[in-house]
Amino acid sequence: MKLQKPHILCVNPWIHDFAAYDVWAKPIGLLSIASILRLHGFSVSYMDCQDRFHPNAVTSQDPTARNGRGPYVKTTIPPPVGLASIQRKYSRYGILPEWFEKDLNALPKPDIVLVTCVMTYWYPGLFETIHAVRSIYPDVPIVLGGIYATLCRDHAVLNSGADYLLSGPGETQILDLVGDITGVRHSLKFDPGNLNAYPYPAFDLQRKIGYVPLLTSRGCPFSCAYCASNILQPRRMLREPDRVVEEIVFWQDTYGVTDFAFYDDALLVNAGKHAVPMFKRIIESGRSFKFHTPNAVHIREITPEIAELMFAAGVQTLRLGLETLEFEEREIDRKVKEEEFVQAVSCLLAAGFQKEQVGAYLLVGLPGQNTASVELSIKTVKRSGITPILAYYTPIPHTKMWAAAVAASRYDLAADPIFTNNAIMPCRQSGFEWDELARLKQLVKEVIR
């Protein structure tokens, strides 16, 4: 047998898109796999093509600024053929290819390269990454996992250039696959069915840690027509509140982290047994933290107690999953009623949250949606005393709304995931109008009387 301790290289690929910004966005799945491999004795390296803190960057950034958020290095590139008609600059977001090549050459040659891709329509950046890796390590097996590999498996098999694909959660698959490739096999040292047993994701492999994503639960009990949560994670799993707080304290004590982003799809569901004791323990720790909920929380679960606990625990950025205010004819989900939305906002403001801290996501670009309904939603949210946030709809394969999206789109969504890019409003038959979007954005900024 050649090696007793194979070297695994994990790579977070470039983003190719019309716009991208680091809003608490990290490949938690890939870094979880990295931590599992380390737990089982493998040597693991990590390279981030999106690294905002690369030493060759023109300006160095404070990782704690803007609560850890910030812009990527940006390079304008030609758009994919199917998007050539869009009158907007298309860019590579992340480090320059020559930096990546130099960094790859400086590493010990890996035995396997693991790469991921989060958004389905970001696959051009993934393909460029795989090509770059292949040019340096032509004989090293490349394994692709993540959301794109799961939701668009056939497209990935035919086009990605990866040698192996992992669809679905990789925790139960990765050791067998690595064993097949390297001949080095290990029995599981943790229970994949118990979130409390997982090692912390390997955020320490990053150059700098500006914030840490937290996954206190997996899965979602709802089945919204536009969402792929139940497809990506069919089983609902919870961590014990004490274990979550232990992780938060670990990252603060070891790496000085103060900003944390909840990645849960259903953070407040079953709050009495999960979120409530968790926030109480955070408060009891007497420490100062800043929490953010980019994935949004369920409005129906917000009570005066939960609002007060979130505020006292240090939640700074709170996003609500509203989607639309067409409550009476609401077919995309059944999470909230109008009176529940009003009551939740009242609880949050009474607890001390400011309107700048609390935002309600409003979906824009749904199949059959008209501008008037979006305008109504924006005005109503603003009158409630919080901030409307436009969230552009991305058609996702296998979801309940996929068929309607395909039927409504001016593009052949089923033929190529590139056309699901939410920046082009793919479900508009008439084509995308920048003036119309600019008007909606301006409405968000205006004072509503």
Side-chain angles (χ1 to χ4, degrees):
M1 192 173 295
K2 179 188 167 187
L3 288 174
Q4 293 303 312
K5 192 175 183 181
H7 175 210
I8 315 295
L9 170 61
C10 299
V11 180
N12 189 34
W14 285 296
I15 296 171
H16 288 190
D17 205 343
F18 294 103
Y21 193 86
D22 182 2
V23 186
W24 303 299
K26 289 289 177 251
I28 190 170
L30 180 65
L31 291 173
S32 294
I33 294 295
S35 68
I36 289 169
L37 290 169
R38 289 197 305 193
L39 176 67
H40 292 82
F42 293 99
S43 170
V44 179
S45 299
Y46 175 62
M47 292 193 62
D48 186 2
C49 291
Q50 301 167 29
D51 187 2
R52 291 165 41 211
F53 309 109
H54 195 281
N56 290 345
V58 175
T59 56
S60 60
Q61 300 183 51
D62 175 3
T64 65
R66 298 178 290 270
N67 300 124
R69 297 166 294 179
Y72 300 110
V73 176
K74 178 181 177 181
T75 307
T76 301
I77 59 175
V81 174
L83 303 182
S85 63
I86 303 297
Q87 299 301 307
R88 190 177 179 186
K89 287 185 178 180
Y90 195 77
S91 300
R92 176 197 302 111
Y93 292 88
I95 64 178
L96 299 187
E98 52 265 36
W99 304 352
F100 184 51
E101 180 179 344
K102 183 178 180 181
D103 292 346
L104 281 174
N105 279 311
L107 283 176
K109 181 181 178 180
D111 296 280
I112 302 174
V113 175
L114 305 182
V115 64
T116 188
C117 186
V118 177
M119 302 300 291
T120 56
Y121 55 83
W122 281 352
Y123 75 78
L126 165 71
F127 289 5
E128 183 186 16
T129 305
I130 290 176
H131 178 77
V133 171
R134 188 78 76 193
S135 68
I136 304 298
Y137 307 127
D139 58 341
V140 174
I142 297 176
V143 179
L144 170 61
I147 292 175
Y148 163 68
T150 300
L151 297 178
C152 303
R153 180 178 176 84
D154 291 344
H155 187 272
V157 168
L158 290 173
N159 301 286
S160 70
D163 299 293
Y164 302 89
L165 257 72
L166 284 181
S167 295
E171 296 88 353
T172 58
Q173 305 177 64
I174 190 63
L175 290 182
D176 286 340
L177 181 56
V178 169
D180 291 341
I181 296 172
T182 67
V184 178
R185 299 189 177 278
H186 292 275
S187 299
L188 279 174
K189 294 183 178 180
F190 73 106
D191 177 6
N194 179 7
L195 281 185
N196 299 301
Y198 281 59
Y200 302 153
F203 298 117
D204 57 289
L205 291 176
Q206 299 174 116
R207 197 180 307 273
K208 293 183 179 180
I209 308 177
Y211 58 87
V212 163
L214 294 171
L215 202 55
T216 78
S217 64
R218 284 191 179 183
C220 180
F222 301 102
S223 185
C224 298
Y226 55 84
C227 181
S229 178
N230 292 139
I231 301 166
L232 297 169
Q233 184 60 55
R235 182 184 173 192
R236 179 80 171 140
M237 301 166 66
L238 300 174
R239 293 174 67 186
E240 294 176 7
D242 285 344
R243 299 293 178 263
V244 176
V245 178
E246 286 172 7
E247 181 182 2
I248 294 169
V249 169
F250 167 81
W251 291 115
Q252 183 170 84
D253 285 352
T254 311
Y255 297 97
V257 178
T258 58
D259 284 277
F260 297 86
F262 289 109
Y263 271 25
D264 301 57
D265 289 323
L267 177 66
L268 300 184
V269 171
N270 197 18
K273 294 184 178 179
H274 186 64
V276 167
M278 180 176 68
F279 285 125
K280 284 183 177 179
R281 284 161 175 74
I282 290 170
I283 296 166
E284 291 166 359
S285 74
R287 295 171 176 252
S288 178
F289 304 112
K290 291 180 286 185
F291 297 104
H292 315 278
T293 65
N295 279 10
V297 299
H298 290 97
I299 294 169
R300 179 179 290 169
E301 314 299 331
I302 296 174
T303 63
E305 179 191 20
I306 288 176
E308 292 169 5
L309 286 173
M310 288 193 296
F311 185 79
V315 174
Q316 298 289 312
T317 310
L318 187 60
R319 298 291 177 256
L320 310 180
L322 183 57
E323 284 82 50
T324 175
L325 271 164
E326 295 176 295
F327 292 99
E328 297 305 318
E329 299 180 2
R330 194 177 171 95
E331 296 181 356
I332 59 173
D333 66 55
R334 290 291 185 271
K335 289 183 299 192
V336 62
K337 297 178 181 178
E338 184 171 8
E339 58 269 25
E340 291 170 331
F341 167 68
V342 172
Q343 178 63 27
V345 171
S346 175
C347 292
L348 293 170
L349 297 178
F353 285 99
Q354 303 299 305
K355 68 177 181 179
E356 296 81 9
Q357 293 178 284
V358 185
Y361 286 137
L362 297 173
L363 281 171
V364 181
L366 292 164
Q369 186 180 47
N370 60 59
T371 304
S373 69
V374 179
E375 291 179 0
L376 172 63
S377 296
I378 292 172
K379 292 178 180 179
T380 305
V381 170
K382 289 179 75 70
R383 289 195 185 100
S384 76
I386 62 173
T387 304
I389 299 175
L390 302 183
Y392 308 109
Y393 168 62
T394 298
I396 302 175
H398 313 295
T399 59
K400 295 177 182 177
M401 195 176 283
W402 176 247
V406 171
S409 181
R410 64 194 184 277
Y411 299 104
D412 188 351
L413 300 184
D416 193 335
I418 200 69
F419 297 129
T420 64
N421 190 320
N422 61 10
I424 64 173
M425 295 285 191
C427 290
R428 289 179 55 100
Q429 285 283 1
S430 60
F432 181 69
E433 298 176 9
W434 292 110
D435 291 345
E436 184 175 327
L437 179 57
R439 186 168 61 82
L440 291 176
K441 289 182 176 180
Q442 183 58 37
L443 184 59
V444 168
K445 297 178 182 178
E446 291 176 0
V447 176
I448 304 296
R449 293 181 174 86

